[in-house]
Amino acid sequence: MAQRPTIKTIARETGLSTATVSKALNASPQVRPRTRDKVLQAAKELGYELNISGVQLRTGKTYQIAMVTVIASPDDDEWAGVGYTQLISGISRAIAHTPYRVVQYQVASFDESFEVIKRIVQNKKADGIIISGTRVNDPRISFMQEQEFPFVTYGTSDASAPHAYVDTDNRRIVTICVDRLLSKGHRRIAMINAREELNYTQNRVEAYTASLSRAGLSFDPSLIAYGRLTPAFGREQLFEMSMFEEPPTAYICANEATAMGVLSGFQVRGMEHGRDAVVIATDDLNVSQYFSPPITTCYLPISKPSETLGQFMLDLIGGEDPKNLQKLFVPDLIERGADTCNLEKQQAQS
Amino acid sequence: MAQRPTIKTIARETGLSTATVSKALNASPQVRPRTRDKVLQAAKELGYELNISGVQLRTGKTYQIAMVTVIASPDDDEWAGVGYTQLISGISRAIAHTPYRVVQYQVASFDESFEVIKRIVQNKKADGIIISGTRVNDPRISFMQEQEFPFVTYGTSDASAPHAYVDTDNRRIVTICVDRLLSKGHRRIAMINAREELNYTQNRVEAYTASLSRAGLSFDPSLIAYGRLTPAFGREQLFEMSMFEEPPTAYICANEATAMGVLSGFQVRGMEHGRDAVVIATDDLNVSQYFSPPITTCYLPISKPSETLGQFMLDLIGGEDPKNLQKLFVPDLIERGADTCNLEKQQAQS
DNA sequence: CATATAAAATTAAACGTTTATATTTTGAGT
DNA sequence: ACTCAAAATATAAACGTTTAATTTTATATG
């Protein structure tokens, strides 16, 4: 097979100069329509495809979107709910018809993620960055803002200047869940959260305390747990909290993996869901419908926000103002299982 | 901040030519140690980092590893067990100390994945390709072999020429599971498999029938189901098979997601695990320990094979012969729950 | 129709790197 | 000290693209 065609090939073929060919391919107004058509025609016939390294060298444009994710350790691969697979999937869908590609930068720690981001920015290794796991006072965000480097976060932040982000509306979720449980008569409501330094964890706690105080209830910090959202963590927390003098009658779990752990703890302890306590989760995989028993969840298909993530990235690269690229998604409440009854009724039954 | 330093900067700084600097950086024997040290020293001081697009343009080397994955559709994001997250994670770990990066090519169908592979190969968009979901008679494999393009598959194939691959030893798993169930007295053993066209599905069926025939049992094709390994599929299959005149007393599930579905089906149908039937799964997430009840599984932490995947890719790019880059991993059998008893005992108990 | 002007094309240089070829330097052998 | 081969370094071109500067061509104007 012959050499892969370049703009030189097209130039030779059409009798034009490479400059004109380049302009034609980039839809420059400096080239007249007739010429453009001729070039596009030839390009098609020759099966021409843009060589990105040429562009990159000349312009600095990489057509790469860096996705920086933190995965703590090799054996840290215990299921923690939604992986990045679904995120990448949505992003990929959004950029499918463009020349952009997602490049993975997977690191082992937060600090390392910051280092990697610095290198990407300083050496212009990508056109934009996507990060998740945003923290309260996240130095990566302020860095990218200072450097005016395009980025979108999956997760909100408390940064002073606006930036592009996509997230689930965690305040809303927690408000819905807590109010619902309160209305069913629950007074001791536990919340199993992600790590404390994450911004969304703080959002959740705020919404939780707000709901409680609206109902005139006091806030008991021992009912809030912070940690990695694995089944192991959920179970462990159930073991602990169920031994309290006044144990919780409801558990709000930040994801399905912890909810599964809590249910598993029920089984081990001989507790029964709906009688001794109920579990309610935030759900992005729609898998809790298969739990035994199925539980009530706030469900948001992850495909939605992740596709928006990709779209925002494109918009940002296209020059859109970050403050117009912010979106919170509101999940649907799906009622399943025991927590649909009121607490009194349940207790009467048992 | 000044321009980012190039080999020109180093050349100016050291009084050498760019050619010598380049050779020094690449540890060419043509440059004497004293000079090399001088160059490396200067590079370090200047904070020099290789500009890959320059290299790429000149040599064609991309430092990119393409990972081509098929995700059927937007709403197809129902949990199907291990995502690609864990795979990418392992690969990332293997290539962490190299300049290589993983680039995602996520497509919607098998055919599209073939198209994408053709483009990557023909336009040399990556130095190597990793694919999963290998099929019986997989045209992508023969294509890459013909084009002599480096690739590693996650999953075996029936290709005539050897190629680099990593996989779980599915024959072994099935043999272990079936023999175990047979020894406990089970005679009607169902198997919930992935799609029929996948090569490993065939491996599983072969091992299954082999075990059965060794035990002098005949093969009932209605006990084997093929489909997408989601909880929904598992449940659906349980609903169907449990209505057979002679229903299975054991279900071997190809992953945890289907096992969860089967267990969920038990609950809906009022069946009890251990009394009416047992479930046993192949497990890569170690999550079935949190099922209610926990089930026996063949467990292989996905981090192992995925890291090997990355290493094999590097070896391949380094010129290693593919036939030396083949590995099957053997999972551990983890005994949990009801299927540890013999069938007779269980039936006596009930 | 000549001329001024706008439009469309070309020329040439540049981005950072490697490498074939040419040149200079080094050092060993006389 | 001189020669010569070997070793080390330098020169220059190339990879594919874009773009500033320039030239050519087309169009409008008096």
Side-chain angles (χ1 to χ4, degrees):
Chain A
M1 180 162 17
Q3 272 304 73
R4 136 175 204 210
T6 70
I7 54 170
K8 255 185 208 159
T9 324
I10 301 181
R12 205 178 324 117
E13 208 69 16
T14 56
L16 293 162
S17 73
T18 58
T20 308
V21 172
S22 171
K23 284 174 191 158
L25 291 171
N26 290 296
S28 157
Q30 285 179 44
V31 46
R32 66 178 159 179
R34 189 147 49 92
T35 319
R36 167 152 51 252
D37 290 347
K38 200 163 62 174
V39 169
L40 293 180
Q41 173 69 20
K44 196 167 186 180
E45 276 171 11
L46 292 164
Y48 168 79
E49 184 154 355
L50 181 70
N51 181 325
I52 287 179
S53 43
V55 181
Q56 195 171 344
L57 191 53
R58 178 63 227 246
T59 67
K61 195 150 183 44
T62 66
Y63 289 104
Q64 297 192 1
I65 295 171
M67 177 149 175
V68 181
T69 51
V70 180
I71 302 269
S73 91
D75 21 64
D76 197 30
D77 59 354
E78 180 156 352
W79 189 54
V82 57
Y84 295 108
T85 311
Q86 284 86 353
L87 271 188
I88 298 174
S89 171
I91 299 169
S92 295
R93 219 174 307 121
I95 66 172
H97 60 290
T98 75
Y100 289 89
R101 291 293 128 223
V102 178
V103 182
Q104 277 292 129
Y105 289 81
Q106 210 162 86
V107 298
S109 70
F110 180 84
D111 290 346
E112 213 182 314
S113 81
F114 195 7
E115 290 309 311
V116 162
I117 288 172
K118 280 183 192 153
R119 280 191 34 212
I120 295 173
V121 171
Q122 271 153 7
N123 297 316
K124 185 67 171 73
K125 286 185 166 309
D127 297 341
I129 298 180
I130 294 176
I131 60 170
S132 62
T134 47
R135 294 192 172 186
V136 179
N137 207 340
D138 197 316
R140 304 172 302 179
I141 293 179
S142 35
F143 174 76
M144 291 188 283
Q145 284 180 324
E146 279 160 22
Q147 305 284 318
E148 300 184 47
F149 199 88
F151 71 99
V152 187
T153 63
Y154 185 58
T156 54
S157 82
D158 58 343
S160 49
H163 62 85
Y165 68 80
V166 171
D167 202 2
T168 313
D169 192 338
N170 279 284
R171 292 177 204 269
R172 184 85 161 267
I173 289 177
V174 171
T175 306
I176 291 173
C177 291
V178 174
D179 288 353
R180 172 191 172 84
L181 291 167
L182 287 172
S183 76
K184 304 275 180 203
H186 292 272
R187 289 297 171 267
R188 299 280 291 166
I189 301 171
M191 188 159 64
I192 317 276
N193 272 337
R195 295 193 319 282
E196 200 165 2
E197 64 266 28
L198 296 176
N199 195 69
Y200 90 98
T201 297
Q202 293 309 317
N203 295 161
R204 290 176 76 99
V205 174
E206 283 157 28
Y208 172 88
T209 52
S211 271
L212 247 51
S213 80
R214 265 198 306 277
L217 291 175
S218 68
F219 167 69
D220 179 354
S222 68
L223 291 183
I224 302 196
Y226 303 100
R228 277 194 59 232
L229 297 177
T230 62
F233 178 61
R235 182 153 74 175
E236 187 185 292
Q237 288 307 313
L238 176 100
F239 287 164
E240 207 162 297
M241 293 189 181
S242 61
M243 302 304 278
F244 286 176
E245 214 159 295
E246 282 187 274
T249 59
Y251 295 83
I252 299 178
C253 298
N255 75 346
E256 299 181 283
T258 35
M260 178 186 268
V262 171
L263 286 177
S264 155
F266 275 36
Q267 226 226 358
V268 174
R269 282 280 190 268
M271 292 168 64
E272 191 180 307
H273 187 255
R275 186 191 63 191
D276 301 306
V278 299
V279 179
I280 185 169
T282 309
D283 174 335
D284 29 30
L285 286 174
N286 206 6
V287 76
S288 43
Q289 61 182 305
Y290 299 103
F291 286 179
S292 309
I295 60 171
T296 294
T297 54
C298 279
Y299 173 54
L300 176 69
I302 183 108
S303 57
K304 297 249 179 74
S306 60
E307 198 162 339
T308 306
L309 209 49
Q311 188 52 55
F312 278 8
M313 189 78 253
L314 292 179
D315 294 347
L316 207 53
I317 291 172
E320 181 63 84
D321 190 328
K323 73 166 179 288
N324 301 326
L325 300 172
Q326 306 186 323
K327 188 157 174 62
L328 288 182
F329 285 85
V330 181
D332 292 327
L333 184 76
I334 303 183
E335 307 199 347
R336 301 189 195 101
D339 81 322
T340 53
C341 323
N342 289 337
L343 191 59
E344 297 75 22
K345 206 187 295 178
Q346 289 168 38
Q347 287 174 337
Q349 283 177 341
S350 71
Chain B
M1 177 162 21
Q3 272 303 73
R4 136 174 203 209
T6 71
I7 54 170
K8 255 186 205 157
T9 324
I10 301 181
R12 203 178 326 115
E13 207 70 16
T14 56
L16 294 161
S17 74
T18 58
T20 307
V21 172
S22 172
K23 284 175 190 155
L25 291 171
N26 290 295
S28 156
Q30 285 179 44
V31 44
R32 66 177 159 179
R34 187 147 49 93
T35 319
R36 166 151 50 252
D37 291 346
K38 200 163 61 174
V39 169
L40 293 181
Q41 173 69 18
K44 196 166 186 180
E45 278 171 11
L46 291 164
Y48 168 79
E49 184 154 355
L50 182 69
N51 181 324
I52 288 178
S53 43
V55 181
Q56 194 170 344
L57 191 53
R58 178 64 227 247
T59 66
K61 196 150 182 44
T62 65
Y63 289 104
Q64 296 191 2
I65 295 171
M67 178 148 175
V68 182
T69 51
V70 180
I71 302 270
S73 92
D75 21 66
D76 197 31
D77 59 354
E78 181 157 351
W79 189 54
V82 58
Y84 295 108
T85 312
Q86 285 87 353
L87 271 189
I88 298 175
S89 172
I91 298 169
S92 294
R93 218 174 308 121
I95 66 172
H97 58 290
T98 76
Y100 289 90
R101 291 293 129 222
V102 177
V103 181
Q104 276 291 129
Y105 289 81
Q106 211 162 85
V107 297
S109 70
F110 180 84
D111 290 345
E112 213 181 315
S113 81
F114 196 7
E115 290 308 312
V116 162
I117 287 172
K118 280 182 192 153
R119 281 192 32 212
I120 295 172
V121 171
Q122 270 153 8
N123 297 315
K124 184 66 170 73
K125 285 185 167 309
D127 296 341
I129 298 179
I130 294 177
I131 59 171
S132 62
T134 46
R135 294 193 172 186
V136 179
N137 207 344
D138 198 316
R140 304 172 301 178
I141 292 179
S142 34
F143 174 77
M144 291 188 283
Q145 285 180 324
E146 277 159 24
Q147 304 284 319
E148 301 184 47
F149 199 88
F151 70 100
V152 187
T153 63
Y154 184 58
T156 55
S157 82
D158 59 341
S160 49
H163 62 86
Y165 69 80
V166 172
D167 202 2
T168 314
D169 193 338
N170 278 285
R171 292 177 203 270
R172 185 84 162 267
I173 289 177
V174 171
T175 307
I176 291 172
C177 292
V178 174
D179 288 354
R180 172 191 171 85
L181 291 166
L182 287 172
S183 77
K184 305 275 180 202
H186 293 272
R187 288 297 172 267
R188 298 279 292 166
I189 301 171
M191 187 159 65
I192 318 278
N193 271 336
R195 296 193 319 282
E196 199 165 4
E197 63 267 28
L198 296 175
N199 195 69
Y200 90 97
T201 297
Q202 292 310 316
N203 294 162
R204 290 176 77 98
V205 174
E206 284 157 27
Y208 172 88
T209 52
S211 270
L212 247 52
S213 80
R214 263 198 306 277
L217 292 175
S218 68
F219 167 68
D220 179 354
S222 68
L223 291 182
I224 301 196
Y226 303 101
R228 276 194 60 232
L229 297 177
T230 61
F233 177 61
R235 184 154 73 174
E236 186 185 293
Q237 287 308 314
L238 176 99
F239 287 164
E240 206 162 298
M241 293 189 182
S242 62
M243 302 303 280
F244 286 175
E245 215 159 293
E246 282 188 274
T249 59
Y251 295 83
I252 299 178
C253 298
N255 76 346
E256 300 181 282
T258 36
M260 178 187 270
V262 170
L263 287 177
S264 155
F266 274 37
Q267 225 224 358
V268 174
R269 280 279 190 269
M271 293 168 62
E272 190 180 309
H273 187 255
R275 187 191 62 191
D276 302 306
V278 300
V279 179
I280 184 169
T282 310
D283 173 336
D284 28 31
L285 286 175
N286 206 5
V287 77
S288 42
Q289 59 183 305
Y290 299 103
F291 286 179
S292 309
I295 60 172
T296 295
T297 54
C298 279
Y299 173 53
L300 177 68
I302 185 110
S303 57
K304 297 248 179 74
S306 59
E307 197 161 341
T308 306
L309 210 49
Q311 188 52 54
F312 278 8
M313 189 78 253
L314 291 179
D315 294 346
L316 207 53
I317 291 173
E320 180 64 85
D321 190 329
K323 72 167 180 287
N324 302 327
L325 301 171
Q326 306 185 323
K327 187 155 175 62
L328 288 182
F329 285 84
V330 182
D332 292 327
L333 184 77
I334 303 185
E335 308 200 345
R336 301 188 195 101
D339 81 322
T340 52
C341 325
N342 289 339
L343 192 59
E344 297 75 22
K345 207 186 295 176
Q346 290 168 37
Q347 287 174 336
Q349 285 177 340
S350 71

